[in-house]
């Protein structure tokens, strides 16, 4: 994984929640629907740490719903 991949994913998630501030989804949903990949979708082992980092930075929050983790813009 390269720094440009991390930056691309982070910026794509930021843009998505900026345009749709009430959106919420699982990590899989975010990877498949929030990010307009220029090539193949990166694995969850790449996407999930980015979500965690964005949560740590106060940009996103997560909550357990029905046994799944849902991510959304921090409130």
């Amino acid at each position: 994984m390269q720094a440009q991949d991390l930056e691309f994913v982070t910026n794509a998630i930021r843009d998505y929640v900026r345009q749709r501030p009430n959106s919420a989804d699982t990590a899989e949903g975010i990877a498949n629907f929030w990010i307009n990949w220029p090539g193949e979708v990166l694995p969850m082992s790449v996407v999930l740490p980015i979500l965690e980092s964005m949560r740590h930075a106060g940009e996103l929050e997560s909550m357990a719903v029905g046994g799944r983790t849902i991510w959304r813009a921090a409130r």
Side-chain angles (χ1 to χ4, degrees):
M1 173 178 49
Q2 298 179 358
Q4 67 189 32
D5 293 333
L6 295 173
E7 185 176 346
F8 172 79
V9 173
T10 302
N11 288 333
I13 294 168
R14 282 181 183 142
D15 289 344
Y16 193 92
V17 296
R18 191 174 312 125
Q19 293 173 19
R20 301 165 190 88
N22 295 319
S23 296
D25 210 336
T26 62
E28 293 84 3
I30 290 169
N32 288 306
F33 302 109
W34 291 22
I35 302 169
N36 187 16
W37 300 97
E40 66 182 73
V41 176
L42 293 177
M44 284 297 102
S45 62
V46 173
V47 176
L48 198 51
I50 293 169
L51 294 172
E52 295 287 350
S53 176
M54 293 178 77
R55 176 174 54 191
H56 187 270
E59 295 181 73
L60 297 177
E61 62 185 24
S62 63
M63 59 190 155
V65 177
R68 304 206 59 180
T69 301
I70 303 296
W71 295 88
R72 66 181 185 185
R75 306 258 193 265

